[in-house]
Structures are given as C-alpha cells and as structure tokens.
Amino acid sequence: MDFKTEIAIALAKTADSDSDDILKAIEVPKASMGDYAFPCFRLAKTFRKAPPLIAKELGEKMSLPSCVERAEVSGGYINFFINKGAFAKAILENIITKKDCCIKTDMGKGETVCIDYSSPNIAKPFHIGHLRSTVIGNSLCRIYDCLGYKTVGINHLGDWGTQFGKLISAYKHWGSREEVENKGIDELTRLYVKFHKEAEADPSLDDEARAWLVKMQDKDEEALSLWKWFVDISMKEFSRVYDMLNIEFDSYAGESFYNDKMQAVVEEIKSKGILKESDGAQVVDLEEYNMPPCLILRRDGGTLYPTRDITAALYRKKTYNFVKCLYVTAIDQKLHFAQWFKVLELMGYSWAADELVHIPFGLVNLGAAGKLSTRTGHVVLMEDVLREAVEKTKVIISEKNPDLENRDETARQVGIGAVIFDNMYNGRIKNIAFDWKKILNFEGETGPYVQYTHARACSLLRKADYDFENMDTEGIDWNVLSDDASSELIKALGDLPERVVEAAEKYEPYIISRGLIEICQGFNRFYRDNPVVSSEGETKKARLALVYAAKTVIKEGLYLLGIEAPERM
Ligand code: ARG
C-alpha cells in the first residue's frame, strides 16, 4: 500500500468518511509544506465548521499511520511529513528488486493500441518533418507497451497514387537503371521534379502519367515491377534510418495495401446515404460540422487519401480490435483527420469518436541549423541530421574523453539520443527551433546530460565492485538517506511511474523527459552533497543502493523515449 492510501485510510477513520473520496483529495504540496496535504474545505458542509477548525480537530484526533513522521495543521490543511527512511525503503526496494522493468504495470490488460507513425512517402525524401512523427510514435509504442498494452506500430507508407504515374513516365524518358540504383531517392526526386518542369511545357506528359497509373491499377506487369522497384529502393534508405534509431514496425501495410479493399467501403458509404456528388466528384458533406466536404472519389473515379484512411481504420479495427488507434502526424493534417473521423461516425461507427485520435505536432524550424548540408537543395534529410549529430558528438567526446574505448558506438548513441530528446522535451504542439549548440550541450536540459548522468552513476557502481543484481535490500539502513538531497532524488525516482501513465493519457512523451531531467538534477545534487565511494559501512551501502536505483530508472526512462543509455561516455 502506498503512503497516500495509508493516510487516506487513517483520515477516513477519524472523519468517518469514505477513504476513496479522501484519497482523491490528497494533494502534493510544496516541499517545505510536507509530503502530502489534505484540504479540509470539502468537509466543511458535513461538519458545519470552518475548515481550519476541522483541520485542527482532525489533526489532533487522528492516529498517524507508521509511515508518517508528523502532521502539521496549517490553515485549512493538514500537512503530512513522511518518515524519510520508510519512504526511501518503499521506493527504492521496489526499483531494486523488480528484475524486469520497475515501471511496468498491467494497466492496459493486454488491450491493443495501434500507433500509425513515421509513414514516409515512397520515392520522396525522408525529411526532417517525418523525424518528429517517427520519434514520438516510437516513444508512444514503448510507453503503451510498458503499461501492459499490446501495441501495433504501423508504418502507413505513402506507396500509391498519382505521383507514381509521373515517376514511371519520367523514368522512361530521362532515367537510367544505373543512376537510380546508385543514387536512390535523390535520383527519383530529380526525375519527379524534372517531370513537373517538362509537363508545364508539354501537357501531354500528364496524360502519359495518368495512363501509367491506370496501368498500375490494371496490374500491368511492367508498371507494377517499376513501382515495386521504386518501393524497394526507397525502403532500403528508410531502413537505414530506422536502424540508426533502433525502430521496428509491426506492420508496413501502406496505402497500396488498401487498393482492393476500398471499393467495398465506398459502396458502404453510398449505402448509408451520405455520399453525394459535387462537381463530378463524390463527397460526404460536413457542413453541419463546420468542415469542408470530405472527398471520397475523384472525378475520374480515383480514390483519395481520406478514402484510404477510412478503409484502413475499418481494416485495423477488424484485424486488431484496438481500443485506440493513434495517428502521429504534423498539425497541418488536423482537418484531414477530423473530416474522415466524422465520416466514420456518420457511417454508424460510433467508436471512431473516441478511439481514433490524431496526435499532432509542431514544425521543426531549422533556424541557424538551416546551414545543414542538404543534398537535394531544399529539404533537410533525416539521415543527414542524424549523421551530423553523430559526427559532432564524436568531436565532443574526443575532447572530453579522448581515451574512451567505444568512441564511435557511443557517439552514435549520444548524437542520436540528443536529437530524439530535443524532439520530445516540450509539448508536441510547440515548434522546435533546431539548434545544435543547445541539443548537444552536456550540461543543459538535454539527452546527453541525461545519458552523462547515467554513465556517471555506472562509473560509481563499477568502482564499488558489488553485486547489485543480487543486492540484499533487507540489510540496508534506509534512514541514512534522510538528508534533503537524497530525499528529493528518491521522490523524483518514485514519481516517474506516475509520469509514464500521464504521458500515455496525454500522448505526451515530454512528461517523461521532464521527469528524467528532474532525476538527473537530483542525482547530481545528491552526489555533490554525499560522497559515495569514499563513504563507509552502512552509509556507503545505502548510498550505493540509491545510485543503483537512479541508474536503473534513468535507463528505463530513456528507453521509453527511444534513447540508448551507454555505460561510459
Ligand atoms: N504519408 C503521410 C505524409 O507523409 C503520412 C501518413 C500518416 N498516416 C495516415 N494514416 N494518414 O504526410
């Protein structure tokens, strides 16, 4: 039982009220005001007395549970001060003895959450705009996993549509197999751009492109094999980035996967009587909901982005029976999702209203980093950003720790970790001003700072030469950890599991990042005030246990963000 519950039960007994109600009302006050506080205002009606008087009487009458050292009455509040030793024991024992992951719960009861993220477009650059979707989506997968959900990470690849007709046409005119094999997406992009330029002067190219798309739809062998080849070329490049980030998907069912499934859905929309013609196209009118109509079929009968999304959602519901399906894309797609979510609702699928969730995020503003080397001229590629981060980190490590053994591997973990952390240090909606100096600062509120603190803890533990995996927590004198710095660190460690739940509920990984920064700042304060390796006996044992717990929690927190935790740096 946690302390809050113990206090609630003791209070409920004295006040003769419901302990659940009391539990919900207990607050966490500012540090000097105690560890927990109960506001007596809510009892004023029942007791017909002023809250300060209730607080005074209750405070005097109640018998304190053993975890509480003392209670103080202040105005209408009763403030409780937890016994620091008991607090340390409860938090740290739990972290140390859980062999698996100390944050793990079975809250999700094995229910399924689908997470549609990253989802780049074939033959188009995997640019920095996709970076946020990729790292936020991956983090959400890990967070929900940790909370006992079954997660399905889906890469809804943009692998079908008019652009492929254009690309095939361009390739036939100006491309060569060799160039595409050698230069990959760069060359495909060049061809695509050239197509648009040439088509301005010669509109017959557009007809040609349309004809290729029709051939693709009709399963023409040449058209499909070229398409398949473009997909493979692109996937090879995307995979390099996913490998760098340590990301794997459970499904790569992209837009083309729904080609043979859309007809039935269009029929269904029609049969529900909500499809209507507009300028030759088929749309669902959404005026009543203050939105422009949702386009279902083009004038030429071609399907559209929303049609595929509606079909995919129905397929996923049937296949995975999700309790939530999340879509992690930039804020500029907000209307698109709102529109087709509504169409599903109008089709009679009421679950769409709360089970489908768009998880929008703000832009990455390149600012000073606009100087980033760009191969294509106008977009910044994700792979380039990650590589540059690694290179820059190599330089920093060479200065800070020239003898580090695993320099290249560590630079990879730290450089990439820095970029990921920066992407999730603020609420999603906030735009990011990309700034190398800021994200690679080992002392700021950054990924490297957290990783560095972790490595520092590891180094302390190495020096102690003790079998932490099989630590006997029974024999530890937890009262050693009663000083302010230790207590604050322990509190920050104990807070992380709640933060993970909050991060899941709000779809906001930054809540974890902030918790990690708090832990690291707490750790560094603790370490400054309390010698570890040079201390002795009971003191040393307890402090080492705290260092070990901090290391464990930092590593697990970083994992939830998708960041590795090197042991030396
Ligand atoms: N391919 C799209 C893009 O790059 C993102 C797809 C997001 N997922 C979805 N189901 N619509 O903008």
Side-chain angles (χ1 to χ4, degrees):
M1 190 168 25
D2 66 17
F3 299 138
K4 216 162 133 179
T5 314
E6 278 186 51
I7 294 171
I9 289 174
L11 265 171
K13 225 179 184 172
T14 319
D16 197 21
S17 15
D18 182 52
S19 65
D20 280 342
D21 287 348
I22 293 202
L23 183 65
K24 272 184 223 135
I26 292 179
E27 300 170 357
V28 176
K30 281 202 208 91
S32 59
M33 306 284 286
D35 298 298
Y36 294 105
F38 178 69
C40 295
F41 308 93
R42 54 177 45 237
L43 298 177
K45 250 206 188 130
T46 341
F47 282 60
R48 295 168 184 282
K49 279 180 197 159
L53 193 60
I54 302 174
K56 190 165 168 288
E57 286 179 8
L58 271 183
E60 278 165 10
K61 246 198 340 204
M62 81 181 281
S63 55
L64 298 175
S66 61
C67 64
V68 175
E69 202 167 66
R70 65 196 159 90
E72 273 174 14
V73 172
S74 158
Y77 287 89
I78 312 177
N79 296 324
F80 298 93
F81 293 79
I82 296 292
N83 175 309
K84 297 222 164 85
F87 183 68
K89 177 176 156 72
I91 304 278
L92 300 181
E93 249 181 9
N94 179 44
I95 297 169
I96 293 166
T97 53
K98 269 205 190 146
K99 289 285 167 237
D100 190 4
C101 161
C102 65
I103 302 167
K104 227 182 192 117
T105 70
D106 53 6
M107 179 180 137
K109 302 188 208 75
E111 289 184 315
T112 300
V113 175
C114 290
I115 300 155
D116 174 322
Y117 71 104
S118 193
S119 308
N121 301 317
I122 297 296
K124 294 210 182 143
F126 199 176
H127 59 78
I128 189 149
H130 287 116
L131 179 63
R132 295 204 77 188
S133 173
T134 308
V135 301
I136 293 170
N138 180 49
S139 174
L140 289 175
C141 281
R142 291 184 179 197
I143 292 169
Y144 276 94
D145 257 333
C146 165
L147 296 179
Y149 290 87
K150 192 179 163 318
T151 56
V152 186
I154 304 173
N155 197 334
H156 188 78
L157 293 165
D159 62 357
W160 200 262
T162 50
Q163 74 266 32
F164 290 97
K166 295 176 184 169
L167 199 55
I168 294 178
S169 167
Y171 173 72
K172 292 291 237 176
H173 285 289
W174 313 292
S176 82
R177 186 157 276 271
E178 220 187 335
E179 287 287 283
V180 174
E181 291 288 356
N182 288 339
K183 295 191 190 146
I185 295 177
D186 275 1
E187 174 65 5
L188 295 177
T189 312
R190 185 191 72 84
L191 288 170
Y192 189 69
V193 171
K194 185 168 170 73
F195 179 92
H196 279 271
K197 256 207 207 107
E198 300 282 334
E200 265 171 38
D202 176 6
S204 75
L205 281 169
D206 282 319
D207 297 329
E208 198 180 291
R210 257 191 295 278
W212 276 112
L213 184 65
V214 172
K215 279 192 177 179
M216 278 168 59
Q217 279 155 359
D218 294 343
K219 302 201 167 68
D220 171 83
E221 208 175 297
E222 185 187 11
L224 276 192
S225 79
L226 281 172
W227 166 77
K228 176 86 183 30
W229 180 46
F230 298 150
V231 172
D232 291 344
I233 293 273
S234 307
M235 281 312 294
K236 226 168 51 202
E237 284 182 45
F238 298 162
S239 303
R240 275 207 308 267
V241 175
Y242 294 136
D243 285 349
M244 287 169 97
L245 294 168
N246 262 320
I247 289 181
E248 278 170 31
F249 294 87
D250 300 294
S251 161
Y252 286 89
E255 299 197 23
S256 70
F257 180 78
Y258 300 99
N259 280 345
D260 60 357
K261 300 175 180 60
M262 275 179 293
Q263 184 61 34
V265 173
V266 174
E267 290 301 328
E268 188 185 335
I269 302 176
K270 205 182 283 169
S271 76
K272 301 260 156 89
I274 51 176
L275 201 61
K276 71 174 206 188
E277 202 189 300
S278 164
D279 272 340
Q282 298 290 321
V283 306
V284 175
D285 190 86
L286 298 173
E287 204 181 336
E288 204 180 310
Y289 310 97
N290 289 321
M291 288 187 277
C294 183
L295 283 158
I296 301 295
L297 286 180
R298 276 203 313 255
R299 284 164 79 159
D300 62 8
T303 49
L304 291 138
Y305 190 39
T307 330
R308 280 170 205 276
D309 264 330
I310 292 167
T311 308
L314 289 171
Y315 173 85
R316 290 173 191 171
K317 184 72 186 168
K318 201 168 79 205
T319 310
Y320 304 115
N321 191 25
F322 56 72
V323 291
K324 288 262 186 248
C325 184
L326 315 181
Y327 298 84
V328 189
T329 80
I331 180 90
D332 58 8
Q333 297 196 27
K334 190 174 170 184
L335 178 62
H336 161 74
F337 286 100
Q339 283 176 305
W340 72 259
F341 288 178
K342 192 45 111 185
V343 171
L344 271 170
E345 244 188 283
L346 295 175
M347 287 170 77
Y349 298 109
S350 54
W351 46 264
D354 49 68
E355 294 183 6
L356 302 178
V357 190
H358 181 215
I359 313 288
F361 53 80
L363 296 174
V364 181
N365 196 330
L366 287 173
K371 289 192 238 57
L372 267 167
S373 54
T374 73
R375 282 183 275 155
T376 47
H378 46 278
V379 289
V380 177
L381 301 181
M382 203 151 130
E383 191 171 357
D384 292 346
V385 173
L386 297 177
R387 283 193 196 291
E388 196 154 336
V390 175
E391 286 313 313
K392 284 189 190 306
T393 308
K394 254 184 223 168
V395 175
I396 299 175
I397 292 182
S398 310
E399 284 163 8
K400 281 192 188 281
N401 189 356
D403 302 326
L404 185 71
E405 262 175 34
N406 254 331
R407 196 189 60 162
D408 287 359
E409 174 61 4
T410 310
R412 187 190 65 78
Q413 294 170 319
V414 176
I416 289 174
V419 175
I420 298 178
F421 195 91
D422 179 55
N423 261 273
M424 290 186 284
Y425 188 60
N426 286 304
R428 284 179 275 110
I429 280 306
K430 231 178 140 180
N431 291 349
I432 292 184
F434 199 87
D435 176 357
W436 284 121
K437 267 226 181 72
K438 188 187 80 201
I439 70 178
L440 293 175
N441 181 355
F442 281 42
E443 268 115 54
E445 297 178 358
T446 63
Y449 170 69
V450 178
Q451 287 171 317
Y452 188 65
T453 308
H454 172 264
R456 214 168 168 188
C458 288
S459 141
L460 279 173
L461 297 174
R462 271 196 304 275
K463 282 185 199 137
D465 192 24
Y466 180 84
D467 179 12
F468 291 98
E469 301 299 327
N470 300 303
M471 193 189 304
D472 168 27
T473 50
E474 288 296 317
I476 292 177
D477 177 7
W478 300 106
N479 289 315
V480 168
L481 305 173
S482 298
D483 63 287
D484 285 349
S486 304
S487 299
E488 265 168 49
L489 171 57
I490 295 165
K491 200 158 189 193
L493 294 173
D495 278 348
L496 203 70
E498 266 177 51
R499 282 179 178 268
V500 175
V501 173
E502 194 186 339
E505 283 167 354
K506 296 186 172 151
Y507 316 109
E508 285 283 19
Y510 89 90
I511 293 168
I512 296 175
S513 323
R514 298 288 167 124
L516 282 175
I517 292 293
E518 230 168 71
I519 289 173
C520 292
Q521 289 171 343
F523 180 86
N524 291 312
R525 218 174 301 124
F526 154 79
Y527 180 59
R528 192 194 56 209
D529 294 357
N530 300 285
V532 178
V533 181
S534 60
S535 61
E536 272 167 36
E538 286 306 312
T539 306
K540 182 169 183 173
K541 224 161 124 190
R543 287 182 183 162
L544 279 172
L546 176 52
V547 173
Y548 178 74
K551 181 215 81 154
T552 306
V553 173
I554 294 173
K555 184 172 174 176
E556 287 178 10
L558 283 173
Y559 173 82
L560 292 178
L561 298 175
I563 300 175
E564 290 173 65
E567 302 212 335
R568 295 168 203 258
M569 49 187 280

